[in-house]
Amino acid sequence: MPASTGAAMTQDRPIALARLPSVDQVLRTPVAAAAIARFGRPATTEAVRRAVAAVRERARNGGAAAPLPDAPTIAAGAVQILDAEDTPSLRRVFNLTGTVLHTNLGRALLPEAAVAAAVDAMRSAVALEFDIGGAARGERDDHVRGLIRELTGAEDAAVVNNNAAAVLLVLNTFGAGKEAVVSRGELIEIGGAFRLPDIMARAGARLVEVGTTNRTHLRDYEQAIGPDTGLILKAHTSNYLIQGFTKAVPAPELAALARARGFPFIHDLGSGALVDFALYGLRSEPTVRAALAEGADLVTFSGDKLLGGPQAGIVAGTRELVARVAKNPIKRAVRLDKVRLAALEATLRLYRDPDRLPEALPTLRYFVRSQAEIAAAAGRLSGPLAAAVGMGFEVTVADCASQIGSGALPLDTLPSAGLAIRPASRKGGGSQLEALATSFRSLPVPVIGRVHDGALLLDLRCLDNEEGFSAQLGQLQPPASEEARDASA
């Protein structure tokens, strides 16, 4: 292009920009009117301003040759902005990672009974802290106290918003200004920067470590106990195992020692199983009832891990100690709201019928789902998936291993099956897989898998809605192969 021609176009651009539709003109279009009805005038006006500004910016930065859009086109751009901002941040996804209790994906799915109870609590006034029979003020923990006592054998129970809060509350109640004795091999750290020594410090307790990383003896506890000891804490190492030359003091011995010295023995189970998983063909995990039977004065555990309910922390144990926990001012700061309390009550009721628990509780249903059943689902979906990803990828049904997740049974895996997607060509395979994973996450209901052994693996253990998964595959935009990109270049 001659220099004079380019200069003329640059000089003509301000004239063209002056003809760009104004915000008011765009707002008068039918497209904008529909947007106003849907999103409101303030939000639509702001989106139109941004759309007009974007057009001006593109024109000033090298878009001289492109024609300026008309008012309806700008209105359509504003609607795209509004649609993007109207998409919820907390979105449902297909969890095909192979981790059942995936912390980053919300852990346990609530059973239908819990969902219904939560919806009722959201829609209506409820007797949260009201004694209907006595027409007097009630206590919100009463809604689940009886169920927890029945299912665990505890004398009493209190509930808070998660197990970290339960541990903090118990440590503060019995250890503030005192010493808390714990084995060095049980100084756990879990996700989200929850480290037991840090929680003890925030609770006002002074940590006293005993033993070594791999071996702790009863005499180590006995030698550490003094006039300032407030409690002995045993933390179940649910998210790791120490193997080999090891020694840990059994809970009954610690309970007897604490009882003889006059302070409580606290057992933090973390995941908190209410039933013996061996009943369903899984490896046994310590149950709350067993921990209390072994002499723990208080047991703390989660509601949204192995229990399969909403996020909650539960303190179960002796009536006297639970009463002290309930009177701690911190309890109010970490109490459960009505929605989660309703969901927790409904979940706990399901445990009254252990024989039908796998049918009613999604978490347990996923745990016991057979590899053959999952492989059959993979076979049904392999064809539609292969068509969606195109000729640049190969789709095969593959055996794989799922895990429970959220720190529970860390070395146990569940035989599973899924769909392995590999690039048809080795060239650029890694980048292609990452791009394909991004495409799956860009679907209306994002699909979350994992890249493993040169393939994007979609473990189908947690896939309940095959129809919904298949229905959106037509919107997948798989990346082009390296050869196709080279040819187009």
Side-chain angles (χ1 to χ4, degrees), residues 274-288:
L274 291 184
V275 293
D276 185 358
F277 283 168
L279 296 172
Y280 310 105
L282 302 169
R283 186 173 72 81
S284 291
E285 178 79 351
T287 66
V288 179

Side-chain angles (χ1 to χ4, degrees), residues 124-190:
S124 307
V126 294
L128 180 62
E129 294 184 355
F130 184 77
D131 180 1
I132 295 177
R137 183 180 178 87
E139 164 57 45
R140 66 179 62 196
D141 287 1
D142 285 345
H143 299 291
V144 294
R145 177 176 283 116
L147 283 165
I148 297 171
R149 289 171 58 188
E150 173 188 336
L151 296 170
T152 68
E155 293 179 0
D156 203 356
V159 294
V160 291
N161 61 12
N162 61 24
N163 190 51
V167 174
L168 173 68
L169 182 61
V170 169
L171 287 172
N172 180 260
T173 301
F174 303 103
K178 298 180 180 180
E179 295 175 344
V181 182
V182 61
S183 169
R184 184 170 282 109
E186 297 173 2
L187 291 177
I188 60 172
E189 176 180 341
I190 61 176

